């Protein structure tokens, strides 16, 4: 059980690599890239030791949970503990984060070199990558909300540095600032939510807060805050998740994050930063289950984001931006699953998404590398014959995200759709199935425009396959995207590996918690919300799931066939359907959300700042200070005239002063 109690070693290794790379990276052979890869590779190896310890603990009847930490601050009855915990959710996230991070590190070695020469600041890239990995590992291991928040902010700072890596480009600088400011808005809500839970329970420990929720003690402050205390606190936590996971209306930062190196996009968008919000919701699922209003908001935000982002993805021509909006849409799926209480389905889709989305982003990087930096799909085409490995791995991942059986994405998306109907309502299912149709269409629009048809590549460019250091991660990820669905096969009740794995952590005595809460509210003379629907048994209906699987397969195939008709069979149709259409222009311009934010927030802030600077600071404050200085200077110059150095003048001043004093006195 050693590794259950010493899991903090895992984030400590890349953190140590960060320190070493920061101090000595530029002086090491190959600028220390091997050092960073060795660190994250060690974490991936140690993950299997953690997994083994976890299984041994379960088999020994100890629950498979390990805790380690220390008291950071202690005064009076207040104890602030910094600690790490390992349970079934943590193990899943550790495996996904460490594997994808390792593959991105390996891929970056070739991508960040051109003709054998490394990019400027090559060592800095791997330095920040190590810190990013350490922060994400600390986030998933944190056993209290305060440490989670610190790691949460660490991930945000690293994303700012990586998105703005090419700071010579103004667009990269603006994208980095946009990501930092937008996510900070959500983080403010997260921090306030954490403070509210601490105020209600007296602790930051996630396990103790959950115990309070199970005992109905989260309403202790109801006389002060009202019946909506828990709803308010959970909504604020969700606000932080919306910012980090780029959900509407905080989605604007993620597409612009494409200004960073492509491996960074794969790391941020696949398994780490943007999934942090989903992980936090699952980790705090008990708290969200006790607030039906929050659950409804989560489901509607997730479903709405899934549709909105998918429509935008249909109109973009930058290969990385299409994938960015795809990420926003797929994260929306996960939030919708959380909103209907299907946390296992959310984690299932998180895992499969990590595999196929990392493969897609790294595949797009391979394409960009092979045609010397071009990202516009209108200038591609016919790359299949030049880049066979990239093409087939990309195609497998595209089929997976489209929901074509028997690939992994089909099973995870099917489970989200099933629970959105059975545990939610038909509105959520309609949102999900609509987004699935659009996803299949825009993904194969990307495939056909990039790899099929006539070549539109600049004649001076000679497309070529990427080096093995770039194609090997693609093959591994494509393989995982193919077989990953085995984690959650339907119909095999008792063989749903992921459900059985997560059930000990996600299960809790909801009925007891609700009874305690209702009793406390009634004693205080307030009306208890209707929570009865949460206690209704939900039986698994295999026939309904089978019918939904068939229907979702038909929907996915429809989207693929539609893309084929528009971009291979009749390539003239897109222009005919979109030319001069106001609706298309609106979607292509991302519903003018960026422009709205600029007009409502950015421009008034800039103009107001300039006004304060010019009128208040420069004229009023600086003017007053400078005016006082001028007056003092004038007075001093006048006083200098009195310092003539002649004794007769000083005697005269004395006599005049004495006579004046006598006149005043008498």
């Amino acid at each position: 059980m050693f590794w259950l109690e010493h899991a903090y070693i895992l984030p400590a290794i890349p953190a140590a690599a960060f320190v070493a790379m920061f101090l000595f990276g530029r002086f090491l052979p190959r600028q220390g890239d091997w050092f960073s890869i060795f660190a994250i590779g060690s974490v991936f190896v140690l993950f299997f030791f953690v997994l083994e310890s976890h299984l041994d603990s379960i088999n020994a009847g100890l629950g498979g949970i390990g805790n380690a930490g220390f008291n950071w601050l202690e005064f009076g009855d207040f104890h602030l503990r910094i600690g790490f915990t390992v349970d079934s959710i943590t193990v899943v996230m550790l495996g996904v984060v460490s594997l994808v991070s390792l593959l991105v590190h390996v891929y970056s070695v070739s991508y960040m070199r051109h003709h054998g020469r490394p990019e400027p600041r090559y060592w800095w890239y791997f330095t920040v990558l190590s810190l990013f990995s350490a922060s994400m590992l600390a986030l998933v291991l944190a056993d209290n909300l305060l440490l989670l928040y610190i790691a949460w902010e660490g991930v945000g700072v690293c994303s700012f540095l990586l998105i703005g890596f090419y700071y010579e480009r103004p667009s990269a600088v603006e994208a980095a600032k946009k990501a930092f400011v937008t996510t900070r808005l959500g983080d403010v809500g997260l921090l306030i939510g954490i403070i509210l839970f601490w105020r209600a329970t007296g602790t930051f420990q996630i396990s103790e807060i959950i115990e309070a929720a199970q005992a109905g003690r989260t309403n202790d402050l109801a006389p002060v805050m009202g019946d909506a205390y828990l709803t308010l606190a959970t909504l604020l936590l969700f606000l932080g998740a919306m910012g980090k996971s780029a959900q509407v209306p905080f989605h604007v930062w993620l597409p612009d994050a494409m200004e960073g190196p492509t491996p960074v996009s794969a790391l941020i968008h696949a398994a780490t930063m943007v999934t942090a919000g989903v992980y936090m919701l699952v980790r705090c699922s008990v708290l969200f289950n006790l607030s039906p209003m929050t659950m409804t908001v989560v489901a509607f935000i997730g479903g709405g984001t899934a549709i909105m982002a998918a429509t935008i993805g249909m109109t973009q021509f930058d290969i990385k931006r299409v994938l960015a909006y795809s990420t926003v849409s797929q994260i929306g799926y996960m939030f919708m699953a959380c909103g209907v209480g299907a946390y296992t389905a959310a984690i299932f889709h998180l895992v499969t998404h990590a595999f196929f989305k990392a493969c897609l982003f790294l595949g797009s990087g391979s394409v960009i590398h092979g045609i010397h930096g071009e990202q516009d799909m209108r200038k591609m085409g016919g790359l299949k014959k030049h880049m066979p490995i990239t093409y087939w791995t990309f195609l497998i991942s595209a089929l997976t995200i489209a929901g074509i059986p028997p690939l992994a994405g089909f099973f995870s998306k099917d489970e989200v759709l099933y629970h959105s109907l059975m545990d939610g309502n038909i509105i959520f299912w309609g949102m999900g199935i609509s987004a699935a149709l659009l996803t299949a269409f825009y993904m194969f629009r990307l495939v056909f425009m990039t790899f099929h048809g006539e070549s539109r590549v600049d004649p001076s460019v000679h497309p070529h396959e990427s080096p093995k250091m770039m194609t090997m991660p693609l093959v591994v990820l494509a393989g995982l995207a193919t077989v990953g669905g085995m984690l959650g096969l339907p119909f095999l009740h008792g063989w749903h590996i992921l459900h059985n794995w997560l059930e000990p952590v996600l299960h809790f005595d909801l009925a007891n918690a609700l009874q305690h809460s209702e009793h406390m509210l009634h004693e205080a003379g307030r009306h208890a919300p209707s929570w009865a629907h949460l206690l209704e048994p939900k039986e698994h209906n295999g026939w309904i799931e089978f019918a939904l699987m068939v229907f979702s397969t038909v929907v996915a195939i429809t989207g693929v066939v539609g893309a084929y008709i528009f971009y291979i069979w009749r390539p003239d149709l897109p222009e005919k359907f979109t030319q001069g259409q106001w609706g298309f222009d609106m979607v292509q311009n991302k519903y003018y959300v960026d422009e709205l934010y600029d007009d409502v927030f950015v421009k008034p802030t800039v103009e107001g700042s300039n006004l304060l600077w010019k009128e208040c600071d420069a004229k009023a404050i600086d003017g007053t200070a400078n005016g006082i200085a001028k007056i003092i200077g004038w007075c001093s110059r006048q006083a200098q005239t009195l310092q003539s150095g002649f004794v007769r003048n000083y005697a005269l001043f004395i006599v005049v002063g004495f006579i004046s004093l006598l006149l005043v006195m008498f």
Side-chain angles (χ1 to χ4, degrees), residues 376-617:
D376 193 334
M377 296 186 299
R378 292 169 294 186
K379 299 179 181 179
M380 299 180 184
L383 296 178
K384 174 184 176 181
K385 60 182 179 182
H386 301 289
M387 312 178 72
I389 299 176
T390 300
Y391 168 72
W392 285 109
T393 54
F394 200 98
L395 178 63
I396 291 172
S397 297
L399 290 168
T400 303
I401 191 175
I404 302 298
L407 302 175
F410 167 77
F411 293 109
S412 61
K413 188 175 291 186
D414 169 73
E415 188 163 342
V416 173
L417 292 173
Y418 173 81
H419 286 287
S420 65
L421 180 62
M422 303 303 292
D423 300 343
N425 58 56
I426 195 169
I427 296 176
F428 299 138
W429 179 83
M431 288 179 170
I433 203 68
S434 301
L437 175 64
L438 298 175
T439 300
F441 181 87
Y442 71 68
M443 282 306 307
F444 274 85
R445 168 182 177 264
L446 187 156
V447 171
F448 293 141
M449 291 186 68
T450 303
F451 295 100
H452 292 265
E454 296 182 0
S455 176
R456 299 177 299 278
V457 180
D458 191 317
S460 63
V461 175
H462 301 285
H464 57 85
E465 185 63 273
S466 299
K468 290 183 179 180
M469 289 286 284
M470 295 175 65
T471 56
M472 284 192 301
L474 296 179
V475 174
V476 173
L477 290 168
L480 292 171
T482 302
V483 303
M486 295 294 295
L487 291 172
L489 288 178
F491 309 128
L492 303 178
H493 195 64
W495 286 92
H496 194 306
I497 300 174
L498 194 61
H499 176 79
N500 295 337
W501 183 266
L502 298 178
E503 196 269 344
V505 177
L506 296 181
H507 174 74
F508 70 103
D509 192 353
L510 181 60
N512 183 56
L514 296 181
Q515 289 174 2
H516 274 280
S517 297
E518 289 186 82
H519 178 71
M520 294 178 63
L521 291 172
H522 282 305
E523 281 191 343
R526 290 181 301 278
H527 175 70
S530 177
W531 289 318
H533 69 284
L534 294 175
L535 303 177
E536 296 175 358
K538 299 179 177 62
E539 296 182 359
H540 186 88
N541 192 315
W543 288 108
I544 293 179
E545 183 166 8
F546 180 77
L548 292 175
M549 289 172 63
V550 173
F551 185 76
S552 64
T553 301
V554 172
V555 168
I557 294 174
T558 301
V560 175
V561 172
Y564 178 84
I565 293 173
F566 272 75
Y567 295 96
I568 298 297
W569 188 38
R570 292 286 304 280
D572 59 307
L573 289 179
E575 187 175 358
K576 289 182 178 180
F577 273 85
T578 60
Q579 191 173 16
Q581 296 295 321
W582 177 83
F584 174 80
D585 293 337
M586 181 180 67
V587 177
Q588 190 178 37
N589 287 283
K590 301 163 287 187
Y591 296 96
Y592 299 103
V593 174
D594 286 289
E595 289 78 4
L596 177 65
Y597 285 175
D598 285 341
D599 292 337
V600 176
F601 299 108
V602 178
K603 290 180 181 179
T605 301
V606 173
E607 292 175 358
S609 300
N610 288 332
L611 180 64
L612 291 173
W613 167 53
K614 292 180 180 179
E615 300 299 327
C616 295
D617 185 52

Side-chain angles (χ1 to χ4, degrees), residues 584-664:
F584 174 80
D585 293 337
M586 181 180 67
V587 177
Q588 190 178 37
N589 287 283
K590 301 163 287 187
Y591 296 96
Y592 299 103
V593 174
D594 286 289
E595 289 78 4
L596 177 65
Y597 285 175
D598 285 341
D599 292 337
V600 176
F601 299 108
V602 178
K603 290 180 181 179
T605 301
V606 173
E607 292 175 358
S609 300
N610 288 332
L611 180 64
L612 291 173
W613 167 53
K614 292 180 180 179
E615 300 299 327
C616 295
D617 185 52
K619 292 183 178 180
I621 299 175
D622 289 351
T624 301
N626 293 334
I628 294 174
K630 289 180 180 179
I631 293 172
I632 294 174
W634 181 86
C635 293
S636 64
R637 287 192 297 273
Q638 300 305 311
Q640 288 178 1
T641 60
L642 302 178
Q643 303 295 324
S644 64
F646 295 104
V647 177
R648 59 179 181 272
N649 292 343
Y650 301 151
L652 178 63
F653 294 150
I654 293 173
V655 173
V656 172
F658 181 73
I659 295 172
S660 300
L661 181 61
L662 292 176
L663 293 174
V664 171

Side-chain angles (χ1 to χ4, degrees), residues 298-299 302-303 331-340 416-417 420 428 431-432:
V298 172
I331 297 295
Y333 260 103
M334 302 174 203
F335 273 97
M336 188 174 69
C338 291
V340 299
V416 173
L417 292 173
S420 65
F428 299 138
M431 288 179 170

